[in-house]
Amino acid sequence: MRLILGLWLLIVVLAPAPLVAQQDPPADLDEAIQRRLEASRLQARAVAAFGAGDIDAARSLLEQQLELEPGNPLALYNLACVQCVGGDREAALAILQRAIEHGFVDFEQMRRDPNLADLHETDLFRSILANRTPILDAAGDLQFEAAKKKYGPRYVYERDEDLKLSFASAYDEQTLAQAREELRHIAEWALSEVFTDLRDPPMREADPWVLVVLPSERDFRRWAIMRYGPSAVTSDFHRIGGSYSHDAKELVAMDLGGTLRHEFLHVLHWRSNMRQAQGHPVWIQEGLCSLVEDYDMKGGRLVPAPSWRTNMVKRLERARRMMPIADLARVDRETFNNERPLAHYGLARAVFLYLYQRGVLRDWYAHYTTHFAEDPTGIEAIEFVLGMSIDEVQDDFRRWVALLDEAPEARSDGTIGGLDVSLGVQVDPGRGEGPIVTGVSREARAGGLRVRDVITAIEGRPVRDMNDFVRILADYRAGQTVRVRVHRRRAHMELEVRVVARR
Ligand SMILES: [Zn+2]
């Protein structure tokens, strides 16, 4: 028997781009951080005690955790499991109800959890399952109202009924509208190319609402410190751009580019996982979700593109240091994120881009999820859809990597590779909305660009970070004129700017 360990926290590791200044954490957060660390220690001990069959110890540890975090839905759910296994059905049902009131809405988990077997036949449990949709809506409302209280009147609040998303945004209404439009495109792509199971409308009723927070820099910093502890502001932290916490049903993204796209795909992926009561290994989660970080538009359709991540994989391959796919499939989350994370993310993305370009991604996902119990690693499904052994796949993948186009890239040292055109401006990476113009040539000035303009799109394609900027610009030739959308103080406008040769 196992309890749920609340580690479904997904971090995106991006190219080094300092978003957060390195300082000590604010003093007022210190106590909250300590409380959180202590609570997660208690949780880990409770899970271990339960695993070892010590029900009393598990109960006592969870009660201590709940003293520190009274409304923690996962702790409540775990306590309900412990009470149920311990034979106290009444207490278990009461606590399960509290868990749900506080936002634990994984009904598939509840329905299949052997720890709750004694509750499954009770009237109350049946009525909980029968009322999933109103319960989910109520949980979504509660979360949305709490966000309004937390972030205050300076934020913009909106809801997307189709995608079941609530937004709390430090960006203005137009910027949020642009971001929402992009998310709709990504959802369309994902539902047709990967998570086809999400097209089933009756199942949609059981999807939870998710809060998407697009915070100010200050709020992001506070969130990051709370989430990751004081170490969040030490040197490595600049690589965390946001996360999606499946436990909290909350997505936080500092930038509207690669991070938001990536984390949003996690939202959809988890919905698919919940519907099927599966938990996919880290390489699949990260590989799939990285696919939409960088994409092209072809004939009005989104197409995942080679990027700085595949460039990295090409370098690994040239150095004969690329990990075999079969090994990658066995890497656990801890190792994936902590030992050479950029290599892991890059390789996982490359494998899924390979499956996509071979035209088998959709079939792979369908086969994989259908046969999940037989092979959760995903390797058998790759062999099946490509009709090759994994060794043959590995050779084919290697050749594909070697032949893959080198993507234009904004390097961490500030230089740009593989780009021979320019808008005649100098830019700074910006804070998440788009690159900021820091210098303007005469020609760019004639086109209307000004210092401090934030560039947010080129030819209607969102430009949110340097990688977007460089990748999209590379599609145009010197002498062409492109429509550049900028944000200047409170105004959003579109300018006609001539592309020039890069000196
Ligand atoms: Zn991720």
Side-chain angles (χ1 to χ4, degrees):
M1 299 272 218
R2 282 171 45 205
L3 293 180
I4 305 180
L5 194 57
L7 287 177
W8 294 346
L9 187 73
L10 306 156
I11 305 168
V12 57
V13 180
L14 288 176
L19 289 165
V20 178
Q22 291 168 30
Q23 305 161 13
D24 292 330
D28 63 319
L29 281 184
D30 240 15
E31 206 189 302
I33 292 163
Q34 292 312 324
R35 200 163 47 233
R36 188 159 196 292
L37 290 175
E38 178 57 19
S40 56
R41 274 194 289 271
L42 287 165
Q43 174 178 279
R45 286 173 59 199
V47 171
F50 187 77
D54 192 343
I55 304 293
D56 289 337
R59 183 189 300 119
S60 151
L61 287 161
L62 287 169
E63 282 165 356
Q64 290 173 55
Q65 185 190 352
L66 284 162
E67 267 168 43
L68 296 174
E69 300 179 316
N72 184 321
L74 192 66
L76 288 165
Y77 179 78
N78 281 338
L79 185 57
C81 290
V82 169
Q83 295 287 32
C84 191
V85 171
D88 193 343
R89 286 209 317 192
E90 295 288 301
L93 269 176
I95 296 165
L96 183 63
Q97 270 187 299
R98 272 175 62 205
I100 293 166
E101 280 160 22
H102 283 91
F104 189 92
V105 288
D106 284 4
F107 296 107
E108 238 0 70
Q109 167 74 30
M110 285 178 220
R111 197 171 69 75
R112 302 187 194 207
D113 196 330
N115 295 319
L116 297 181
D118 284 352
L119 302 189
H120 286 157
E121 298 308 315
T122 62
D123 290 341
L124 184 60
F125 194 83
R126 284 208 196 91
S127 94
I128 289 172
L129 289 189
N131 287 295
R132 295 171 186 227
T133 309
I135 292 172
L136 286 165
D137 287 344
D141 290 347
L142 201 71
Q143 185 188 37
F144 194 39
E145 293 311 313
K148 287 180 185 169
K149 217 176 267 170
K150 181 171 173 187
Y151 296 107
R154 297 171 73 105
Y155 274 47
V156 178
Y157 301 94
E158 290 178 14
R159 298 190 96 169
D160 188 320
E161 300 284 337
D162 278 342
L163 294 174
K164 290 184 114 170
L165 300 176
S166 307
F167 291 91
S169 165
Y171 296 102
D172 67 12
E173 270 141 31
Q174 272 159 292
T175 303
L176 178 58
Q178 294 159 9
R180 287 182 55 181
E181 191 190 343
E182 186 177 20
L183 294 187
R184 278 194 296 274
H185 284 299
I186 290 172
E188 262 169 46
W189 176 82
L191 266 63
S192 92
E193 299 297 332
V194 196
F195 311 125
T196 53
D197 53 328
L198 294 184
R199 288 189 297 203
D200 177 4
M203 287 292 281
R204 191 186 161 278
E205 306 272 288
D207 288 341
W209 281 83
V210 169
L211 175 69
V212 178
V213 184
L214 306 172
S216 64
E217 210 182 339
R218 176 182 165 276
D219 288 339
F220 180 75
R221 192 178 147 69
R222 292 178 70 88
W223 167 85
I225 292 168
M226 276 301 287
R227 184 61 76 180
Y228 303 101
S231 66
V233 287
T234 58
S235 61
D236 263 354
F237 178 66
H238 62 259
R239 291 193 272 151
I240 297 174
S243 84
Y244 169 59
S245 162
H246 177 67
D247 294 345
K249 310 284 181 289
E250 182 180 80
L251 184 168
V252 178
M254 185 58 227
D255 69 83
L256 303 179
T259 304
L260 179 59
R261 296 170 200 142
H262 175 118
E263 301 302 338
F264 175 59
L265 218 64
H266 276 311
V267 172
L268 300 180
H269 189 192
W270 268 111
R271 283 181 180 164
S272 168
N273 273 197
M274 281 179 70
R275 289 181 184 198
Q276 316 209 30
Q278 296 177 1
H280 296 168
V282 60
W283 84 280
I284 291 175
Q285 292 188 14
E286 299 311 335
L288 278 176
C289 295
S290 309
L291 266 184
V292 293
E293 289 170 1
D294 296 279
Y295 62 84
D296 289 330
M297 294 301 288
K298 285 181 186 155
R301 287 183 59 81
L302 188 157
V303 180
S307 71
W308 61 278
R309 289 208 196 272
T310 41
N311 287 356
M312 173 178 297
V313 175
K314 286 174 76 70
R315 287 194 293 274
L316 287 171
E317 162 59 11
R318 277 198 296 271
R320 299 265 165 239
R321 287 178 56 214
M322 194 170 79
M323 182 190 270
I325 301 169
D327 292 352
L328 179 70
R330 284 194 291 270
V331 174
D332 61 37
R333 164 70 67 183
E334 197 59 21
T335 311
F336 196 95
N337 279 344
N338 295 319
E339 292 168 26
R340 304 175 64 227
L342 290 174
H344 288 134
Y345 276 83
L347 185 56
R349 183 178 193 270
V351 175
F352 284 97
L353 187 63
Y354 162 75
L355 293 177
Y356 179 74
Q357 290 198 354
R358 288 281 187 262
V360 297
L361 181 61
R362 186 180 6 212
D363 291 347
W364 174 84
Y365 192 76
H367 183 91
Y368 170 62
T369 50
T370 310
H371 299 271
F372 177 75
E374 294 136 62
D375 178 29
T377 68
I379 295 297
E380 188 276 329
I382 292 179
E383 293 179 316
F384 177 83
V385 294
L386 290 172
M388 293 189 260
S389 74
I390 191 62
D391 290 340
E392 291 166 330
V393 172
Q394 185 66 42
D395 289 342
D396 188 49
F397 175 64
R398 251 201 199 110
R399 284 191 293 274
W400 175 86
V401 167
L403 292 173
L404 193 66
D405 286 343
E406 196 90 40
E409 174 177 14
R411 302 193 194 97
S412 53
D413 63 3
T415 61
I416 289 173
L419 182 70
D420 52 15
V421 294
S422 145
L423 290 180
V425 292
Q426 285 170 331
V427 294
D428 164 287
R431 294 288 174 201
E433 188 188 347
I436 300 171
V437 176
T438 57
V440 195
S441 71
R442 216 161 42 162
E443 200 159 9
R445 201 176 162 75
L449 281 167
R450 299 289 179 269
V451 168
R452 281 191 293 282
D453 280 353
V454 182
I455 296 177
T456 62
I458 295 174
E459 288 292 315
R461 297 162 65 182
V463 171
R464 300 306 190 176
D465 52 39
M466 285 305 287
N467 282 305
D468 287 349
F469 184 61
V470 167
R471 191 188 64 252
I472 291 172
L473 209 47
D475 282 352
Y476 302 95
R477 292 185 316 278
Q480 276 184 298
T481 299
V482 290
R483 287 177 296 123
V484 177
R485 188 177 69 201
V486 301
H487 185 182
R488 180 181 301 164
R489 292 192 208 94
R490 296 211 175 149
H492 294 261
M493 60 190 85
E494 206 151 65
L495 308 166
E496 304 262 315
V497 181
R498 237 168 105 81
V499 178
V500 293
R502 195 162 159 254
R503 280 162 296 157

